Amino acid sequence: MTSFDDPGRMILRNKLLGRWAAGQLGKTGRDADQYSEALARAAFHPDRGDVFSTIRKDFDAAGVTQTDEQILRVMTEFSIKAGEAMSGGPGDSVRGAGAMLARKLMLP
């Protein structure tokens, strides 16, 4: 499993996960963007940092049928993708985009 010692990886994973979850919830456009960004920011808030519980609660409230195992599988897939995206060499555009996203989301 990917190590999340690098905040950029966690933010990218949560952003990807948020886009997926937003789609499952029927959110599109700005609503999907806001949901995804909120999950990405949650990585820095101890009281909101459990993205699995957030997604589980939101899915239950909206009647979205996904098992815990399905959600965890998607989380793992996005963890791997985030790790791969952030492991490129210097100048790698995806890594640069991830770093920019991390900086943007860490601002108040």
Side-chain angles (χ1 to χ4, degrees):
M1 186 161 190
T2 302
S3 169
F4 282 100
D5 294 335
D6 179 358
R9 287 182 184 180
M10 188 182 327
I11 289 170
L12 182 55
R13 190 276 312 258
N14 288 358
K15 181 87 171 169
L16 294 169
L17 183 62
R19 292 296 296 181
W20 171 79
Q24 298 296 310
L25 292 164
K27 296 179 183 287
T28 60
R30 182 129 172 88
D31 289 338
D33 290 342
Q34 289 175 338
Y35 187 85
S36 178
E37 288 181 21
L39 279 185
R41 284 190 184 107
F44 298 102
H45 299 282
D47 57 330
R48 294 184 293 152
D50 184 0
V51 295
F52 172 81
S53 293
T54 299
I55 291 170
R56 173 80 276 154
K57 182 178 65 173
D58 292 347
F59 280 9
D60 289 345
V64 174
T65 305
Q66 291 281 332
T67 66
D68 289 354
E69 292 77 18
Q70 290 170 318
I71 297 168
L72 291 170
R73 180 181 42 79
V74 172
M75 288 178 75
T76 299
E77 289 172 10
F78 286 132
S79 294
I80 292 167
K81 283 185 181 185
E84 289 172 350
M86 300 296 285
S87 67
D92 182 275
S93 61
V94 175
R95 184 179 181 151
M100 286 176 47
L101 176 62
R103 281 193 293 274
K104 177 183 173 192
L105 293 174
M106 291 191 324
L107 296 175

